[in-house]
């Protein structure tokens, strides 16, 4: 009985502190990317910003947009820049190097840029990330309760 209580206690403790731990990891990664960016080591900065951008970090989404718009560490791609800036703005990032509407006006193919933005929002936007987190939580609950069934018969 005691071991069951201890296990439950630690699971609750981990669940309650997970956002803090993730935020700390994000802050450290962002600081590292910012350092590389300031040092003009754009390729290393991009790798970290891109990884963070896919997790919903709006600052990093804005940086990815900027890097595509200016060619810092990437080839200039205004459609990609527009798409990432839409994501950053969706999350409330106010310090974009260039607003998404300005980037859209500079693209050669506005329709393709908007399509690319829609795909990114569907994959990494606020709602998509919330749904993904809910699915993961449901799978974890099912796994812990043993309701997923056995894979042995498959």
């Amino acid at each position: 009985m005691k071991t069951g209580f201890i296990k439950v206690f630690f699971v609750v403790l981990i669940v309650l502190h997970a956002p803090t731990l993730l935020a700390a990891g994000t802050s450290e990664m962002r600081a590292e990317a910012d350092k590389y960016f300031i040092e003009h080591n754009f390729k290393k900065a991009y790798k970290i910003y891109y990884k963070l951008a896919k997790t919903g970090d709006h600052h990093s989404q804005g940086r990815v947009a900027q890097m595509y718009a200016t060619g810092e560490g990437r080839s200039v791609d205004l459609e990609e820049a527009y798409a990432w800036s839409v994501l950053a703005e969706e999350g409330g990032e106010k310090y974009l190097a260039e607003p998404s509407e300005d980037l859209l006006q500079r693209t050669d193919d506005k329709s393709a840029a908007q399509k690319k933005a829609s795909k990114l929002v569907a994959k990494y936007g606020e709602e998509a990330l919330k749904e993904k987190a809910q699915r993961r939580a449901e799978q974890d609950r099912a796994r812990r309760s043993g309701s997923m069934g056995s894979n042995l018969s498959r």
Side-chain angles (χ1 to χ4, degrees):
M1 178 75 176
K2 270 189 175 179
T3 58
F5 175 75
I6 292 170
K7 286 181 183 176
V8 169
F9 173 76
F10 280 112
V11 168
V12 168
L13 187 67
I14 290 169
V15 167
L16 290 176
H17 288 289
T20 305
L21 294 172
L22 290 173
T26 298
S27 296
E28 290 169 7
M29 288 176 69
R30 188 187 306 153
E32 183 181 8
D34 287 341
K35 178 179 121 333
Y36 287 133
F37 189 86
I38 290 166
E39 294 171 352
H40 292 207
N41 190 341
F42 297 121
K43 289 186 187 228
K44 282 188 176 180
Y46 174 83
K47 283 177 95 172
I48 298 169
Y49 284 137
Y50 184 74
K51 185 181 279 191
L52 290 171
K54 293 190 312 182
T55 67
D57 182 66
H58 306 300
H59 170 78
S60 297
Q61 291 168 345
R63 282 290 195 181
V64 168
Q66 175 185 346
M67 294 174 92
Y68 275 113
T70 59
E72 296 165 321
R74 310 303 306 158
S75 298
V76 172
D77 184 337
L78 294 176
E79 291 174 12
E80 196 73 25
Y82 168 74
W84 283 105
S85 69
V86 166
L87 269 178
E89 286 177 349
E90 177 195 60
E93 180 64 32
K94 292 174 179 38
Y95 303 106
L96 290 172
E98 190 169 354
S100 60
E101 286 306 311
D102 293 352
L103 286 167
L104 182 61
Q105 295 309 312
R106 290 180 43 209
T107 61
D108 293 329
D109 188 345
K110 290 171 186 36
S111 176
Q114 291 169 324
K115 193 175 196 176
K116 195 172 276 195
S118 293
K119 284 183 179 180
L120 278 182
V121 168
K123 194 169 185 178
Y124 304 120
E126 296 283 322
E127 286 302 313
L129 293 175
K130 282 180 190 174
E131 288 173 16
K132 197 180 290 186
Q134 286 174 339
R135 282 194 305 273
R136 254 190 246 121
E138 288 169 8
Q139 289 171 345
D140 288 346
R141 274 194 299 277
R143 208 171 303 142
R144 280 194 299 272
S145 70
S147 65
M148 289 184 70
S150 172
N151 287 331
L152 296 175
S153 64
R154 294 184 190 165

